[in-house]
Amino acid sequence: MKEAKAQIDALKEELNRWNYQYYVLDAPVATDYDYDRKLRELEQLEAEHPELVTPDSPTQRVGGEAISAFAEVTHEVPLLSLQDVFDGGELTAFDQRVRESAETVRYVAEPKVDGLSVALEYLDGVFVRGATRGDGQVGEDVTENLRTVRSIPMKLTGAPHRLIVRGECYISRERFAKLNDQRELEGEPLFANPRNAAAGSLRQLDPKIAAKRMLDCIIFNIQLSDGPAFETDSQALDYLETLQFRVIPHPVFETLGEVSQWISALGEERERYPFDIDGAVVKLDSLPERELLGSTAKFPRWAVAWKYPPEQKPTKVLDIVVQVGRTGVLTPKAVVEPVRLAGTTVTNATLHNQDFITDKDIRIGDTVIVQKAGEIIPQVVSVELSKRQEGSKPYFLPAVCPVCGAPVERDPDGAAVRCTGAECPAQLMRNLTHFASRDAMDIEGLGPAVVESLVNAGLVKTPADLYRLDAKTVAELDRMGEKSAENLLNVLEKSKQNDLSKLLCAFGIRQVGSKAAKVLARQFGSLDRLMEATEEELTTVDDIGAITAQSIVRWFANPQSQHLIKSLREAGLNFQSTEEKPGEKLKGLTFVLTGTLAQMKRSEAKKLIEQNGGKVSGSVSKKTSYVVAGEAAGSKLTKAQSLGVPILTEGELLNLLNLTD
Ligand code: AMP
């Protein structure tokens, strides 16, 4: 037993040292092969002696059990934010403020790493807890995820009894690029930037996922320590280096001029760092002087963060291409001459929409200024008009969808331009998922994954194809089997009898959700009748406005919609509605219900009023026609009285409807 412990300790010591040399010093001494072999040896010994497994063992870095939520951690020393400065004037003003109270002024300057702040806590040299910054006072306990970060030492030698350090967690640019490549392959949404990727990874409830993301951590402060006391921050950071932390570069300068020079140099060189740098932090070096200056509730008075503007470069627009998204929106993209920008080679830039292009008058052949500010795809900032080629023409999005040829239409309430094709292949996946959703045809078992398999197998090209599927083919799909295929076909068969209101909702006509679909089905009774309705006729229906009416008429006029309807009719779908037409007795009247009614629930009274063409509102105004007051009616009744709104008893309401015996 003793022997096993000694063996385990020796292996841990060696592996931790290799780890430090590899991840902190960037100077590997052991080969991956040797590392993996020793790790295996340690794993085997620990398996034989589970009582000897300690949290600081390198075997514990692969990620433990997933949890359901993070616990809160109240920071003993708050993790403050930093006051930003954007120009030389603001930096000088800071220097002057500092010099008013501090006697000897020396500054430490550090790169501002664009990641997430964390506090790491050590007890007798062992990493015991790590937390996110949160709001600076209270963060989240992400200890298990931080254990997977190889540059965070799990065990310190010669450390004080208690030590809390603060650092920045990040994903290196190189890792980030690989991570996004992999996500693209797997069809997962891409991370916008390394910072978002790091944030998402650190807040993973499953540490095994966090482990795969390969986070890194760089330390920039001692929050709390009962170890040696230091006069300056730079000495404290040097000390952390001896404890084998990866520590932020921290040169010290005597004058503001030197600091400014360093800031400019860092700005030029920041592409060469492995992590994103969004600024430079300037801090007073003397710790006693820091005490004297103190902090506001949010920022220390002894430090500022210089923010770099995003890098910009000129390049040429070679072409403008248009993509059609899953929701049918046409998105223009500029294909540009390749240019290096913020560490990556840029070959295209987003143009957002027609308004953006028109606003900046971006044309094919133009020289434009591009910048990257936190997103993957760069932005076009402006056009260099002096370099515009003769004969260039303003750019307009195509009038028909580049994928299916259906006319495009601009959203009445926004800048988006959409394809109107009900059978457009670009929108198929989303159209089918919507078609099957609960408010629409409610086809249980036809979620996004099954839709994807059906589409990828080429079995379904329009929603009508769903009704031509046969059980044998479906059973052969990924993740399906005979039983689930049979179930799906049964549900599909049953859905043919759905009320027209569900089918109308399933069409995905813009502005027509489940509520409008119900109103329309109730009013027109059949699809054929609705298809004949003119815009004027539609606008006379309650709840249907001019924009919705126009959208409906256009949708039915579209050849792709007509083709879809024809195929659905052939498949035998029900085009009729059994939704009852509302009565007219209470047409044009608005009711407010208050208090407890004797003969029915409030919800029943509401239904009754609506069935008779009336409306029910939640609050009393001058426009309220009647307030129906039951037992123990409250403020609504008083308000009705003060506004002179007529008040009905329950019996009087029923009288109005001739429902009393
Ligand atoms: P901001 O988020 O713009 O308020 O800037 C403050 C944040 O900068 C802190 O919460 C830290 O997460 C981060 N930061 C990155 N590098 C450093 C550094 N060297 N010194 C202090 N803070 C830093």
Side-chain angles (χ1 to χ4, degrees), residues 425 428-429 432 449-461 477:
L428 179 59
M429 212 87 100
L432 287 172
V450 180
V451 164
E452 202 173 333
S453 309
L454 288 169
V455 171
N456 289 345
L459 294 173
V460 176
K461 297 209 161 48
L477 291 175

Side-chain angles (χ1 to χ4, degrees), residues 80-82 84 110-113 116-117 133 166 168 220 248 281 283 307:
L80 295 181
S81 185
L82 288 166
D84 289 333
E110 299 166 4
K112 186 166 181 294
V113 185
L116 271 105
S117 222
R133 173 166 177 263
R166 176 174 178 184
E168 197 79 355
F220 59 78
I248 195 97
V281 189
K283 302 172 178 173
K307 284 287 174 83

Side-chain angles (χ1 to χ4, degrees), residues 8 11-17 19 35 39 42-43 46 54-63 147 150 154:
I8 285 179
L11 278 168
K12 281 201 296 204
E13 200 273 326
E14 179 150 48
L15 284 163
N16 276 334
R17 188 159 43 80
N19 205 50
Y35 186 94
L39 189 68
L42 179 59
E43 274 167 0
E46 286 182 344
T54 56
D56 66 336
S57 169
T59 58
Q60 303 304 299
R61 287 200 188 260
V62 289
R147 254 188 231 298
R150 304 296 173 115
M154 288 295 108

Side-chain angles (χ1 to χ4, degrees), residues 106-110 230-241 247 250-253 284-287 290:
R106 285 176 7 132
Y107 290 113
V108 212
E110 299 166 4
F230 300 101
E231 271 299 299
T232 65
D233 185 38
S234 46
Q235 286 165 358
L237 294 178
D238 291 343
Y239 166 71
L240 290 182
E241 255 163 4
V247 176
H250 50 278
V252 176
F253 301 104
L284 187 63
D285 196 21
S286 157
L287 297 175
R290 282 188 184 183

Side-chain angles (χ1 to χ4, degrees), residues 114 192-193 309-311 341-342 370-379 381:
D114 197 9
N193 52 46
E311 198 190 342
L341 195 64
V370 289
Q371 78 170 24
K372 247 176 133 179
E375 12 6 56
I376 320 178
I377 309 174
Q379 305 269 348
V381 183

Side-chain angles (χ1 to χ4, degrees), residues 369-391:
I369 304 294
V370 289
Q371 78 170 24
K372 247 176 133 179
E375 12 6 56
I376 320 178
I377 309 174
Q379 305 269 348
V380 172
V381 183
S382 58
V383 176
E384 303 236 274
L385 287 177
S386 60
K387 299 201 177 135
R388 175 162 283 169
Q389 292 166 347
E390 243 179 77

Side-chain angles (χ1 to χ4, degrees), residues 167-179:
E168 197 79 355
C169 262
Y170 65 90
I171 284 183
S172 72
R173 292 225 188 98
E174 198 187 333
R175 261 308 291 166
F176 171 73
K178 286 197 187 134
L179 195 62

